[in-house]
Amino acid sequence: LAELRIVEYEKNRLKGLGINNDVEHVALVNVALGYDIKSWETKNNDRYIEVKAVSKLDYKFHWSKNEVEISEKYGNQYFLYLLPVIDSKTFDIDSLVKIKNPYDVIFKEDSDYQKKSEQYLVWK
């Protein structure tokens, strides 16, 4: 539902910019792309959006290795949209946090974001 709310948000954002390009909810077709929505910065410049439904208290989220790698690849074209949950079907769009180029923002030395590794890939 958070992704659907952001698709709607992006359509309105583009309309306000006078851009008539389609917003694509790509996660419905391929969850391995590393982002949920393909939108636009300008008519010719893509925006790749990973949506995270978060608690308004701490904005904590899980970010997969694939999502991190794709965010590094796309740099300033990649956004994390942190959408606070009010209840199971309602979101606080006014408190939406958009992080442009989250790889650089989150992994730079003086980042305000705390990080903790929580998974291991193990094999024999």
Side-chain angles (χ1 to χ4, degrees), residues 2-3 11 19-20 27 31 39 42 44 47-48 52 60 64-65 67 69 75 80 86 92 95 97 103-104 108 111 122:
E3 292 173 10
K11 287 179 179 179
I19 299 173
N20 294 323
V31 296
S39 187
T42 64
N44 300 316
R47 176 183 280 201
Y48 303 96
K52 301 294 183 184
K60 188 182 288 186
S64 75
K65 181 179 187 288
E67 292 163 355
E69 289 172 354
L80 268 178
I86 294 174
D92 184 357
S95 297
V97 171
Y103 184 85
D104 281 355
K108 67 182 180 182
S111 175
V122 181

Side-chain angles (χ1 to χ4, degrees), residues 64-121:
S64 75
K65 181 179 187 288
N66 183 49
E67 292 163 355
V68 170
E69 289 172 354
I70 296 300
S71 73
E72 182 180 25
K73 173 183 173 182
Y74 287 122
N76 285 327
Q77 290 180 278
Y78 192 98
F79 286 74
L80 268 178
Y81 279 26
L82 308 179
L83 183 59
V85 176
I86 294 174
D87 61 41
S88 64
K89 295 182 181 180
T90 312
F91 302 95
D92 184 357
I93 197 72
D94 294 330
S95 297
L96 174 67
V97 171
K98 296 184 282 185
I99 307 171
K100 182 177 185 174
N101 197 348
Y103 184 85
D104 281 355
V105 170
I106 292 171
F107 289 106
K108 67 182 180 182
E109 283 187 35
D110 60 345
S111 175
D112 291 334
Y113 290 90
Q114 302 298 313
K115 299 160 289 296
K116 179 176 141 183
S117 178
E118 292 189 336
Q119 280 187 289
Y120 294 93
L121 177 60

